Amino acid sequence: MDITVNAHVTAWINSVAAKTRPEGIVWIDGSKEQLNELRELAVKSGCMVRLNEEKLPNCFLHRTDPDDVARVENRTFICCKNEEDAGPTNHWMEPSEMYCKLYGLLDGSMIERTMYIIPYSMGIIGSPFAKYGIEITDSIYVVLNMAIMTRIGCDVLTAIGNNEDFIKGIHTQGTLDKENRYIVQFPEDNTIISVNSNYGGNVLLGKKCFALRIASNLGRKEEWMAEHMLILGVENPQGEVRYVCGAFPSACGKTNLAMMIPPDGYRLKGWKVWCVGDDIAWIRVGKDGRLWAVNPEYGFFGVAPGTSEKSNPNALETTREGTIFTNVALDTSDNTAWWEGMTKITPAHAIDWRGNEWTPESGTKAAHQNSRFTAPTKNCPCLSHKFENPEGVPISAIIFGGRRAKTAPLVYQSRDWNHGVFVGSIMASETTAAATGKVGIVRRDPMAMLPFCGYHMADYWQHWIDMGRKTIKQPKIFNVNWFRTDDEGHFIWPGFGDNLRVVEWILKRCFDEVDARECELGFVPYTADINLEGSEVDEKTLGELLEIDRELWKKEVSEIREYYGKFGDRVPKELWASLNRLEDSLK
Ligand code: OXD
Ligand code: MN
C-alpha cells in the first residue's frame, strides 16, 4: 500500500518495482509495531538470532556471507559525466554505461523477495540542516539497521512533501556475487545503487553513500562540508563546554575518542566528555560566523573487537539494548554477544562469526576483525544534550589523526586555517579491516575522506580553503597520532581516556590559554603544558613523542610532492606553498 501521494516518489518506486519484480512491496512507516513484526520475521527466516532477553533486551545477531564483511573500495564508483571531476582517487564509469550494467543486475533481482521502502532523514526531521532519502531494499537486515542508524518513517514523507528533493537509493542483495558487487553514487542525479552486498558500509545507504559521498557534492554546491568526523564536547570544571571535530580513518578509534572517559584525576575535578557523534559531521557557517557541526545520524555503527569495559565502557553500555550485532561471536553459555578484547575471560564455547562451533583452542578469531554493533545514539550514557539541537554545536578545534608508527608526533598545531588544510591533505595512516584489502599498509587518506569524497580530491581541498574564507572565527586545526610505537612495536602513548590530556592542550590553544613552541610542522606543546599527573607517561617520554625526525620528514615531503602530482593543476596553490615552506624548514 502506498503511503505517499508524491508523484516523483511513486513514479520512481513503480519503475524500480517493474525492473526488480518483487513479490510484494512494504512501506516502512517507522512504527514500533511494524519494526517488531519485522524483527520476528527476521528471526523466523534465520536472518537474525535473538540474544538473551534479560541481559541484552531487543538485541540480535546477524552473520553476513563470509565474503561480504567490509566496505569494498575497489568496487565503489563515483559516476559523474566527466571522469576528471571524479578525480584520481575515485573509481569512475560513464553514467549511462554504469546504469546499463546496474539495471542488468537489478533485472528480476527481487523475484520472490519483498521490496521494502524506507523513507529516512539524515538530521533532525524538519530542521533546516536535514536532508532526506528513500532507500529501496530487499534486505530486512537493512531495514532494521536503518531504523537504528537514521530517523525513518511517515514523518520523513511529510517533510519531503511533493518535492523531488530526496536522494534515491536502490539496494539489492542480489546473489552476493563479489565479482558483480557495485556501490555506485551518481552525484549529478542524487542517486545511489548498491548491488550484491549486505554489509553495512555498502548497504546502509544513508551513511557513507549519502551522508559523505553524495553530501560532499551537495556541500560543495551549497557551501557547507560533509566530513568523516566525530564530534565531541569537553566540559571543564568551570562548566564550560567546548566542541571538537576529529577526522580519523576508519577503525582508528573515533568511537572511543567520541565517548572517552576522562582519567580519574580529571573526572574528580569535574571534567566531562559529551558525545555528539562518532563518524559523520555536517558543518556549516553559523549566523555568528563560526563553524557549527551536526551529526546527521541516529545510531552508531561501531567496530566491536577491542570494545571493553576498560577501553570504552560508554560504547559497551550503548550496545546493551536495541542493538544489532554483526559477525560477532555468540557466547553459548548465556546467548550473548562476544568478541576478542571484550572481557578478560574468554568464553569456553561459542559459535563464531561464520556460524561454526568455537573454543579458545580453535586457533581462529571468534568474531570477525570488522564485526560491528549498530546501536541507538539514545542509549549512549554520555550523549550530549546538544545532539538534538537543530543548529548543532560550535566547533573550536578540528583534529586530524591517523595511525603512524613513527613520523607524526603526538600532537601539533597548524599555523593557520590554510596550513591546517595542508595538514589534513597529507594525512596518512596504516590501513585497517574496515575495508577489504591488506591491513597495515601506510596510505594517504586526506581528511580521512579517501574512500568517501564524492568528487575530485583537489577540488575538495579547494572547498576547504574556500570555507575557511567564509568563516569569521575559524576553528584551529591540529594533527594527533595516538599510535606511535617504540622499537619493539609497543604503543608509547596509552591512548583512550588519556587522550583528554592532549585535547585539553588543544582547547587551551584555541582559547589562547597556553603558549607553544614553533617547529618545522607548526606548533608543538612544551612538555610541561601537557598534564601528565596520574598517567603512566613521564615528561621525557612525552618529549620523545613530540620529537620530529627530520630525515623521516624529508622523505615524507618528497612522497607528498609525488602524491600532489597525481592531482595535477587542481591542487590549491596554498597547499603547494605550505609544502614548500615545510621543505625549506627541513633544509
Ligand atoms: C565506518 C567506516 O564504518 O569508516 O565508519 O568504515
Ligand atoms: Mn567511518
Side-chain angles (χ1 to χ4, degrees):
M1 193 191 60
D2 284 7
I3 55 170
T4 181
V5 290
N6 182 320
H8 306 289
V9 174
T10 41
W12 171 62
I13 304 267
N14 289 342
S15 73
V16 178
K19 178 88 339 220
T20 54
R21 286 173 278 144
E23 193 176 73
I25 297 183
V26 173
W27 282 83
I28 301 302
D29 60 20
S31 67
K32 274 203 184 109
E33 296 72 27
Q34 188 188 40
L35 290 173
N36 278 337
E37 270 172 33
L38 291 173
R39 286 182 193 115
E40 287 308 326
L41 193 60
V43 171
K44 246 198 227 137
S45 69
C47 163
M48 299 205 306
V49 176
R50 189 182 281 281
L51 298 173
N52 185 317
E53 260 306 299
E54 262 162 43
K55 293 188 176 168
L56 296 170
N58 230 348
C59 290
F60 299 85
L61 164 65
H62 169 81
R63 298 186 192 100
T64 67
D65 183 275
D67 261 341
D68 186 27
V69 291
R71 284 184 295 96
V72 280
E73 295 179 5
N74 58 341
R75 310 217 54 94
T76 300
F77 288 76
I78 301 295
C79 293
C80 46
K81 265 190 237 91
N82 298 321
E83 183 170 4
E84 307 83 73
D85 294 334
T89 55
N90 282 314
H91 298 285
W92 176 89
M93 196 185 287
E94 201 278 314
S96 59
E97 196 184 323
M98 182 57 99
Y99 274 124
C100 187
K101 186 183 278 290
L102 293 174
Y103 286 153
L105 293 167
L106 287 171
D107 198 2
S109 61
M110 296 190 191
I111 290 173
E112 293 182 12
R113 293 184 182 166
T114 301
M115 176 169 122
Y116 298 100
I117 304 170
I118 317 165
Y120 67 95
S121 174
M122 299 315 294
I124 300 167
I125 301 173
S127 75
F129 295 166
K131 300 253 175 218
Y132 308 116
I134 298 183
E135 175 164 356
I136 296 176
T137 179
D138 57 9
S139 162
I140 202 166
Y141 170 76
V142 166
V143 175
L144 295 171
N145 274 271
M146 285 293 282
I148 298 171
M149 291 307 295
T150 68
R151 296 152 170 104
I152 59 162
C154 293
D155 294 350
V156 178
L157 290 174
T158 309
I160 295 174
N162 283 325
N163 295 325
E164 207 182 347
D165 188 15
F166 64 93
I167 306 300
K168 301 183 178 84
I170 308 171
H171 164 247
T172 176
Q173 300 173 67
T175 58
L176 296 181
D177 170 11
K178 63 177 183 174
E179 303 304 327
N180 273 303
R181 188 167 291 160
Y182 287 95
I183 318 300
V184 185
Q185 287 66 207
F186 298 92
E188 286 145 356
D189 305 338
N190 283 343
T191 296
I192 304 159
I193 303 181
S194 163
V195 295
N196 285 326
S197 173
N198 204 26
Y199 166 75
N202 298 330
V203 299
L204 306 178
L205 301 185
K207 195 173 178 63
K208 303 300 185 181
C209 304
F210 176 175
L212 290 175
R213 299 195 191 100
I214 295 283
S216 57
N217 278 277
L218 296 175
R220 184 183 178 204
K221 261 190 272 170
E222 298 168 4
E223 303 191 344
W224 54 278
M225 304 159 86
E227 300 300 331
H228 189 204
M229 289 181 178
L230 63 89
I231 313 167
L232 69 83
V234 177
E235 181 173 336
N236 63 23
Q238 294 77 51
E240 292 161 333
V241 187
R242 297 167 172 180
Y243 296 92
V244 169
C245 278
F248 295 77
S250 306
C252 283
K254 287 212 303 296
T255 308
N256 290 342
L257 185 58
M259 297 182 189
M260 76 183 151
I261 304 262
D264 286 348
Y266 279 76
R267 233 167 2 92
L268 295 173
K269 284 196 197 118
W271 288 83
K272 296 188 180 101
V273 170
W274 300 107
C275 172
V276 183
D278 78 329
D279 196 43
I280 297 176
W282 284 359
I283 304 174
R284 289 175 173 75
V285 183
K287 289 186 201 86
D288 59 2
R290 290 186 290 174
L291 287 184
W292 288 69
V294 296
N295 168 14
E297 301 195 277
Y298 206 42
F300 303 110
F301 183 61
V303 177
T307 307
S308 69
E309 212 38 80
K310 184 159 178 279
S311 69
N312 193 343
N314 284 326
L316 211 53
E317 181 62 31
T318 305
T319 64
R320 300 296 87 177
E321 196 173 346
T323 294
I324 298 174
F325 297 92
T326 301
N327 290 342
V328 301
L330 179 70
D331 180 341
T332 45
S333 70
D334 60 355
N335 199 32
T336 56
W338 186 84
W339 48 80
E340 277 75 15
M342 181 196 208
T343 47
K344 279 207 194 97
I345 301 167
T346 302
H349 179 262
I351 305 294
D352 73 9
W353 69 275
R354 294 170 189 266
N356 297 328
E357 304 285 327
W358 182 93
T359 65
E361 287 73 47
S362 295
T364 53
K365 296 257 191 256
H368 187 272
Q369 236 188 316
N370 190 38
S371 54
R372 299 279 180 149
F373 53 80
T374 316
T377 41
K378 66 170 185 335
N379 288 358
C380 177
C382 62
L383 187 69
S384 161
H385 69 283
K386 296 279 182 178
F387 171 69
E388 298 275 7
N389 182 12
E391 304 292 320
V393 293
I395 299 305
S396 300
I398 291 176
I399 305 177
F400 294 123
R403 257 174 213 273
R404 290 306 295 268
K406 295 278 174 254
T407 321
L410 178 64
V411 59
Y412 69 95
Q413 183 187 350
S414 66
R415 294 175 210 285
D416 54 29
W417 178 269
N418 286 351
H419 180 232
V421 178
F422 167 74
V423 170
S425 79
I426 65 166
M427 259 172 75
S429 190
E430 292 157 25
T431 49
T432 66
T436 52
K438 267 206 158 145
V439 169
I441 307 288
V442 175
R443 69 167 184 181
R444 299 261 157 227
D445 189 351
M447 281 83 171
M449 283 288 277
L450 179 70
F452 308 121
C453 178
Y455 58 99
H456 195 293
M457 185 62 83
D459 293 346
Y460 165 78
W461 295 333
Q462 185 63 54
H463 180 55
W464 266 78
I465 304 254
D466 296 342
M467 287 300 295
R469 277 196 205 109
K470 287 175 188 130
T471 310
I472 295 169
K473 195 167 183 314
Q474 302 152 347
K476 304 251 191 288
I477 301 181
F478 299 80
N479 192 86
V480 299
N481 178 20
W482 314 134
F483 300 96
R484 221 152 135 160
T485 53
D486 61 20
D487 293 339
E488 275 101 54
H490 304 121
F491 293 121
I492 309 174
W493 179 251
F496 301 107
D498 285 292
N499 292 337
L500 184 58
R501 303 175 189 278
V502 175
V503 175
E504 183 194 9
W505 179 82
I506 286 175
L507 284 168
K508 280 189 175 157
R509 287 294 292 162
C510 295
F511 289 84
D512 295 325
E513 292 165 0
V514 70
D515 208 353
R517 182 167 64 78
E518 189 155 9
C519 68
E520 298 87 333
L521 304 181
F523 299 96
V524 285
Y526 291 106
T527 49
D529 288 333
I530 298 227
N531 175 8
L532 294 176
E533 210 180 299
S535 86
E536 302 157 11
V537 176
D538 57 28
E539 216 173 310
K540 179 169 167 286
T541 310
L542 176 62
E544 284 159 18
L545 282 164
L546 293 169
E547 255 164 33
I548 292 153
D549 182 328
R550 292 168 66 91
E551 291 314 308
L552 279 183
W553 273 96
K554 280 185 196 164
K555 198 164 151 271
E556 191 80 359
V557 164
S558 77
E559 282 171 21
I560 298 165
R561 207 168 270 292
E562 196 182 317
Y563 184 64
Y564 274 5
K566 281 191 9 185
F567 302 94
D569 54 13
R570 295 204 193 199
V571 177
K573 59 179 184 325
E574 292 83 351
L575 302 193
W576 281 116
S578 288
L579 181 59
N580 292 338
R581 176 168 179 181
L582 174 58
E583 187 167 46
D584 287 347
S585 73
L586 294 166
K587 276 181 185 149

